[in-house]
């Protein structure tokens, strides 16, 4: 187990190193001088030279990369050009909203995807199954921002059940804030439930054709017990994987959803950074989000051992 | 290929999806002749009119015909999707073949795809767009890079299987050069999985392009792609919901049809599923 975790962590570090390189390169492929782009057309050559010096742009590329890496190693993501504060702080301030939004969306996606996926597998080929697959495919084809706009129109404007946008006043209670997140979480959760549904179905189908399931049926156990107790447990590994994957994807999906609902989260920060060409923020956010993505995938792999005692590392 | 087509046509849903796709492609190709109005022509007196006989999908905030604009948008959105497929399939196939056949390159190529796949699609696309700046061809390039690893992985996996086949060994024994083996003997056997991936990438590319344009970091807002139409209509949505409804339906219909065809292709190509359902 220990060796396995160590090896996986080493592999993760390697991927993150390449990720850092990709992030570094992206900020350098900008046509023209990043410093000039950041400062806009009214900047004087002196200003640009000063910013170049501050950003280390006057040094050779490899030493720029090494400086960048050592900064990351010290958890220093640099300084935002527009927000006038460290990138790490800007990200931290907005992380609560995005974390809550992701958590709620994942819960919604799991609550829709897993039960319907199980039912679909148990009723394979019948109309319940066909309908479920059809709905899953439809859900996966709908842009989340379109669902978001539609929800706002019908459940926030026409029927004033939910707030139209925003995250409430700064002193709002947690419950009030969660209320602001209901529609965004639904808009984000629905398209992502499709993947969970399909994986749950496939995984259950694999297990349901196993011999031990037939044995369980033959001894006269009720179908409910066979499906939920015997089959589901063994089908859980692929389902867990896809739930982890979906959670990671949703952090990125939050970018779009937060824009639709005017939520001041990490996604919103990324979009405004792109529009303002605030490269330190873009780089920092990319690094943190992909880091979380990689971490979630690792945790899912480690969870396997908990779910399935046969898995030994 | 003929067998594949026959298998596909045996499924009613796939046939419907193929017909829908053909219709959408035809509308896109013939948009300048089919569109009832000039998509750019403004008519201030008739602004934000709900769907009615004269304007089936209504008019927008400048009195432009929404149906004509969706047809024009079909051209652009499908063009982006197709070009992304071309970029991703070309680069992904080359990378996958290199990794799958030239073992020395395998580690490097696969770590690179790992790293690219460590970013969620839309985030990586946004990052590239931040560097490249908004334009239709930059969207194609960014999404092409984003979807390259998917093709590369599938091609590598399939190439690893095909390269062990006796006929490849025979070609090697006969002294065929590496490019000849890779492109003449291995690649033709990988066409099926590549086509399946291409169909799904087409669908994802349309969805992601719409999201990028919606965020304002994709195709410049004056170009009427479906995503831009929805983004532009956002502020009028309360009074004129058809401005968001119809472009959205166009996206859903196209992506859904592509996914059904992709699923159908995958099932038809998977020999294990031949007997079932």
């Amino acid at each position: 187990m220990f060796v396995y975790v160590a090896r996986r962590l080493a592999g993760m570090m390697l991927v993150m190193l390449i990720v850092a390189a990709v992030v570094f390169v992206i900020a350098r492929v900008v046509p023209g001088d990043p410093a000039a782009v950041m400062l806009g057309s009214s900047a004087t050559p002196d200003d640009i030279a000063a910013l170049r010096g501050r950003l280390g742009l006057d040094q050779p590329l490899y030493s720029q990369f090494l400086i960048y890496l050592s900064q990351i190693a010290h958890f220093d993501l640099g300084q935002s050009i527009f927000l006038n504060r460290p990138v790490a702080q800007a990200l931290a301030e907005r992380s609560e909203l995005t974390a809550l939004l992701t958590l709620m969306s994942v819960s919604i996606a799991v609550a829709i995807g897993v039960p319907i996926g199980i039912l679909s597998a148990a009723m394979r080929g019948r109309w319940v199954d066909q309908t479920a697959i059809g709905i899953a495919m439809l859900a996966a084809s709908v842009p989340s921002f379109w669902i978001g706009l539609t929800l706002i129109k019908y459940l926030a404007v026409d029927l004033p059940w939910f707030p139209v946008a925003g995250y409430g006043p700064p002193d709002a209670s947690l419950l009030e804030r969660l209320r602001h997140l209901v529609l965004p979480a639904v808009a984000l959760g629905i398209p992502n439930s499709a993947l969970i549904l399909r994986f749950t179905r496939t995984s259950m189908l694999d297990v349901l054709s196993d011999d031990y399931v037939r044995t369980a049926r033959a001894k006269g156990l009720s179908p409910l017990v066979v499906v939920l107790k015997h089959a589901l447990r063994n089908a859980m590994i692929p389902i867990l994987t896809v739930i982890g994957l979906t959670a990671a994807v949703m952090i990125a999906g939050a970018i779009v959803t937060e824009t639709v609902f005017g939520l001041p989260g990490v996604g919103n920060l990324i979009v405004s950074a792109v529009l303002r060409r605030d490269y330190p923020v873009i780089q920092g956010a990319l690094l943190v989000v992909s880091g979380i993505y990689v971490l979630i995938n690792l945790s899912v792999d480690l969870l396997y051992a908990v779910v399935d005692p046969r898995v030994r590392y | 290929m003929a067998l594949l087509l026959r298998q596909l046509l045996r499924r009613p849903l796939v046939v419907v999806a193929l017909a829908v796709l053909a219709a959408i492609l035809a509308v896109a190709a013939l948009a300048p002749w089919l569109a009832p109005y000039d998509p750019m022509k403004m008519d201030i007196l008739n602004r934000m009119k709900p769907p009615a006989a004269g304007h089936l999908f209504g008019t927008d905030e400048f009195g432009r015909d929404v149906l004509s604009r969706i047809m024009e948008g079909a051209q652009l959105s499908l063009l982006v999707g197709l070009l992304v497929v071309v970029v991703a399939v070309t680069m992904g196939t080359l990378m996958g073949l290199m990794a799958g056949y030239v073992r020395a390159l395998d580690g490097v190529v696969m770590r690179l795809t790992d790293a690219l796949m460590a970013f969620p699609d839309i985030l990586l696309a946004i990052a590239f767009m931040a560097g490249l700046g908004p334009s239709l061809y930059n969207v194609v390039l960014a999404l092409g890079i984003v979807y390259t690893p998917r093709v590369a992985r599938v091609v590598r996996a399939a190439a690893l299987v095909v390269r062990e086949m006796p006929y490849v060994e025979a070609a090697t024994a006969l002294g065929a050069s590496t490019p000849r083996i890779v492109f003449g003997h291995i690649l033709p056997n990988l066409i099926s999985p590549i086509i399946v991936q291409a169909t799904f990438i087409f669908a994802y590319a349309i969805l992601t392009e719409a999201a990028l344009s919606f965020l304002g970091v994709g195709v410049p807002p004056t170009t009427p792609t479906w995503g831009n139409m929805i983004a532009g209509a956002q502020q009028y949505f309360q009074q004129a919901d058809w401005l968001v409804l119809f472009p959205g339906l166009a996206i859903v219909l196209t992506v859904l049809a592509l996914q059904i065809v992709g699923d159908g292709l995958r099932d038809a190509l998977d020999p294990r599923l031949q007997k079932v359902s």
Side-chain angles (χ1 to χ4, degrees):
Chain A
M1 183 76 186
F2 177 75
V3 176
Y4 175 78
V5 175
R7 207 174 57 218
R8 284 298 309 262
L9 279 175
M12 188 183 129
M13 294 308 287
L14 182 66
V15 167
M16 284 312 291
L17 189 69
I18 304 176
V19 165
V22 172
V23 168
F24 178 78
V25 169
I26 284 174
R28 295 298 182 282
V29 296
V30 190
D33 184 346
V37 173
M38 284 173 189
L39 290 173
S41 53
S42 59
T44 64
D46 283 349
D47 290 343
I48 295 175
L51 184 62
R52 283 181 67 85
R54 192 152 66 83
L55 297 174
L57 291 172
D58 46 1
Q59 302 190 31
L61 214 54
Y62 68 88
S63 66
Q64 283 185 40
F65 184 57
L66 288 180
I67 294 171
Y68 180 60
L69 281 185
S70 89
Q71 282 174 343
I72 298 172
H74 293 93
F75 298 103
D76 175 9
L77 297 174
Q79 190 82 14
S80 160
I81 315 264
F82 284 89
L83 299 172
N84 236 333
R85 68 187 77 180
V87 172
Q89 192 193 333
L91 281 169
E93 284 168 0
R94 286 150 178 267
S95 56
E96 180 204 274
L97 188 155
T98 307
L100 280 177
L101 176 61
T102 310
L103 219 71
M104 281 175 77
S105 313
V106 172
S107 315
I108 290 173
V110 170
I112 299 175
V114 173
I116 301 184
I118 295 172
L119 192 70
S120 192
M123 304 249 182
R124 174 176 199 184
R126 287 195 254 167
W127 67 267
V128 178
D129 184 27
Q130 307 275 358
T131 317
I133 298 175
I135 291 175
M137 220 175 235
L138 184 67
S141 308
V142 186
S144 67
F145 58 91
W146 193 62
I147 302 184
L149 287 172
T150 314
L151 288 174
I152 292 176
K153 163 84 173 145
Y154 298 109
L155 294 183
V157 177
D158 291 359
L159 295 170
W161 291 351
F162 293 98
V164 173
Y167 198 39
D171 58 344
S173 64
L174 182 67
L175 203 68
E176 180 59 25
R177 282 187 246 164
L178 288 179
R179 207 168 79 86
H180 279 83
L181 291 181
V182 172
L183 291 187
V186 172
L188 188 54
I190 288 178
N192 287 298
S193 66
L195 195 68
I196 296 184
L197 194 161
R198 296 186 68 163
F199 259 80
T200 305
R201 178 178 178 274
T202 315
S203 173
M204 283 298 286
L205 281 181
D206 278 351
V207 176
L208 284 174
S209 60
D210 280 354
D211 288 340
Y212 78 92
V213 172
R214 196 174 40 198
T215 311
R217 281 205 178 110
K219 23 181 227 193
L221 291 177
S222 80
L224 206 67
V225 173
V226 173
V227 169
L228 292 184
K229 208 170 153 216
H230 292 235
L232 183 61
R233 191 165 172 127
N234 281 303
M236 260 338 260
I237 283 190
I239 299 175
L240 264 182
T241 313
V242 77
I243 291 175
L245 212 88
T246 317
V249 168
M250 278 193 203
I251 298 175
I255 298 173
V256 180
T257 311
E258 286 174 10
T259 307
V260 175
F261 288 91
L263 296 169
V266 174
N268 205 308
L269 180 71
I270 295 175
V271 174
S272 49
V274 170
L275 296 176
R276 295 176 192 143
R277 308 210 145 205
D278 195 342
Y279 290 105
V281 173
I282 302 173
Q283 282 182 312
L286 271 175
L287 207 62
V288 170
V289 174
S290 52
I292 293 174
Y293 194 81
V294 173
L295 257 181
I296 291 180
N297 284 327
L298 178 69
S299 335
V300 168
D301 283 357
L302 296 181
L303 261 182
Y304 287 171
V306 180
V307 179
D308 188 342
R310 285 171 307 182
V311 176
R312 291 259 178 276
Y313 297 118
Chain B
M1 230 41 195
L3 184 78
L4 177 68
L5 206 64
R6 216 174 312 141
Q7 286 220 347
L8 267 185
L9 295 181
R10 210 179 292 155
R11 292 157 175 256
L13 191 61
V14 178
V15 176
V16 174
L18 277 171
V20 168
L21 268 189
I24 293 171
L25 280 172
V27 167
L30 302 173
W33 296 280
L34 282 180
Y37 296 89
D38 176 352
M40 294 298 180
K41 189 166 170 286
M42 299 187 196
D43 180 2
I44 298 301
L45 287 177
N46 274 317
R47 62 194 294 271
M48 301 225 269
K49 285 273 184 279
H55 297 275
L56 282 180
F57 288 3
T59 61
D60 70 3
E61 69 272 23
F62 297 111
R64 295 175 298 196
D65 182 51
V66 173
L67 176 61
S68 306
R69 286 177 71 73
I70 287 179
M71 289 180 167
E72 166 124 345
Q75 255 181 0
L76 293 161
S77 295
L78 292 181
L79 180 73
V80 171
L82 267 177
L83 290 178
V84 168
V85 168
V86 171
V87 172
V89 165
T90 310
M91 296 202 303
T93 305
L94 283 176
M95 282 172 70
L97 283 174
M98 285 197 305
Y101 192 74
V102 188
R103 301 300 295 164
L105 291 173
D106 193 18
V108 180
V109 174
M110 281 301 108
R111 289 299 82 73
L112 189 65
T113 59
D114 275 353
L116 282 178
M117 287 174 97
F119 299 96
D121 298 3
I122 182 134
L123 189 64
L124 188 58
I126 289 176
F128 279 118
M129 291 311 292
L132 297 167
S135 99
L136 193 133
Y137 291 100
N138 287 343
V139 171
V140 169
L141 187 64
L143 292 182
I145 297 174
V146 169
Y147 293 118
T148 293
R150 288 171 191 264
V151 182
R153 292 188 154 232
V154 170
V155 170
R156 170 184 175 269
L160 283 178
V161 175
V162 175
R163 73 190 291 263
E164 303 301 335
M165 298 273 178
Y167 73 87
V168 173
E169 204 182 334
T172 316
L174 285 171
S177 65
T178 302
R180 188 180 170 129
I181 292 174
V182 169
F183 292 106
H185 296 278
I186 295 186
L187 184 59
N189 282 290
L190 305 181
I191 296 296
S192 311
I194 293 176
I195 290 177
V196 173
Q197 276 303 307
T199 318
F200 286 119
I201 289 175
F202 199 159
Y204 300 148
I206 290 177
L207 272 180
T208 315
E209 182 275 318
L212 287 179
S213 298
F214 177 79
L215 292 175
V217 296
V219 181
T222 44
T223 321
T225 62
W226 291 334
N228 272 336
M229 289 181 71
I230 298 176
Q234 210 182 342
Q235 48 179 316
Y236 308 105
F237 187 38
Q238 316 305 349
Q239 309 95 328
D241 53 3
W242 59 89
L243 291 181
V244 168
L245 187 69
F246 291 115
L249 282 179
I251 297 176
V252 173
L253 197 64
T254 312
V255 174
L256 185 61
L258 280 168
Q259 300 218 53
I260 293 174
V261 172
D263 264 19
L265 276 170
R266 190 176 48 199
D267 292 353
L269 290 167
D270 190 342
R272 280 173 306 167
L273 295 171
Q274 223 110 92
K275 285 274 161 59
V276 193
S277 77

